[in-house]
Amino acid sequence: MFAITAGRCAPGVSLGLLVFLLSFCGCGNSPQNSSGQPAKLRIAMIPKGTTHQFWKSVHYGADQAARELDVELIWQGPLKEDDRQDQINTVDNFITKGVDGICLAPLDKNALLNVVKSAGKNKIPTVIFDSALADPAAAVSYVATDNYNGGVLAARELGRLLNGQGKIILLRYAEGSESTEQREKGFLDTVAKEFPQLEFLSQEQYAGATVQTALQVAKQLLVKHGDQVQGIFAVNESCATGMLKALRDAKLAGKVKFIGFDTGEELRGGLETGEVHGLILQNPIKIGNLSVKTVVASLRGEQVEPNQPTGEMLATPANRTDPAVQALLVPRQL
């Protein structure tokens, strides 16, 4: 190897050759592109799905952060929110491609754990957003709504609307989805502690990954319990939208007290007409923005918080026009 002395090159080594050697042996502080400029960090962002309006708003926030930090954002996720293997393969492919960092909303808290650990072994930090892993230590940070508290807010509003008495339904989302499991737990715990006279007609049915599967399950529930049910909580956008459609078909919309989670065109319309009595809102733009900023901070050697809550809010027909509510009720999208 050529010797390099302070202030000058070794005898016989030209300045141009020295620059080449430094580049070849990786002595620089950061990777460079073909023009010799430092290459942009490449951040892969993998949502649970790409069709729900929630994810489009997460994408908007992530894109904002990527532009601000001048990093490359690669957005890719499953079309449907029940394709665990597709999401695992997507993470694996990004590891193989050697991205600098990953932001991931795991479809399943257990199924995605090993591939996140694999990213860590390959020196690729992962920020988990929206829905936690079974082992939080596998990621550098968790950015999300306090989903348990979201369930608490839903239970308290439904209990208030029913004056603490009545027969209710909890429509779940999907097994293994940590975010919605926390919403369900918060709802069930609060009903048991604060509204013991509320009686469950059903609390174990899962709506599945799409509005259509949710609609079919909701129709079956209303055929069985429609003459008794007085209150319903549905725990995510597709689940709540399917239930709203089923209530309309059964001529029960507005008659049954109905709380949903997340927003969307159908749900906002229901809030305006009084067919939806409450929506628990998240801040998807903040979730996307903070996730990208956190993984970049980690790559730059900065200390990041292991848990970063992004806030939740109850929207009702009465407060839906408030500016703070509107900002979350109609979030911007890509």
Side-chain angles (χ1 to χ4, degrees), residues 8 11-12 41 48 59 64 70 72 76 96 136 145 184 205 220 227 234 245 247 255 277 280 282 300 310:
R8 66 180 188 275
L41 291 173
K48 288 182 177 179
H59 193 182
Q64 274 188 327
D70 194 27
E72 180 184 353
Q76 184 179 334
T96 301
T145 305
E184 294 152 10
Q205 287 295 311
Q220 293 167 12
D227 59 342
K245 289 176 179 286
L247 285 166
K255 299 176 184 177
H277 300 86
I280 309 302
Q282 308 185 75
R300 292 175 175 170
T310 52

Side-chain angles (χ1 to χ4, degrees), residues 107-126:
L107 275 170
D108 188 295
K109 61 186 177 184
N110 295 304
L112 274 294
L113 184 56
N114 285 339
V115 75
V116 171
K117 288 182 177 179
S118 176
K121 290 176 183 176
N122 283 275
K123 309 300 182 186
I124 301 173
T126 300

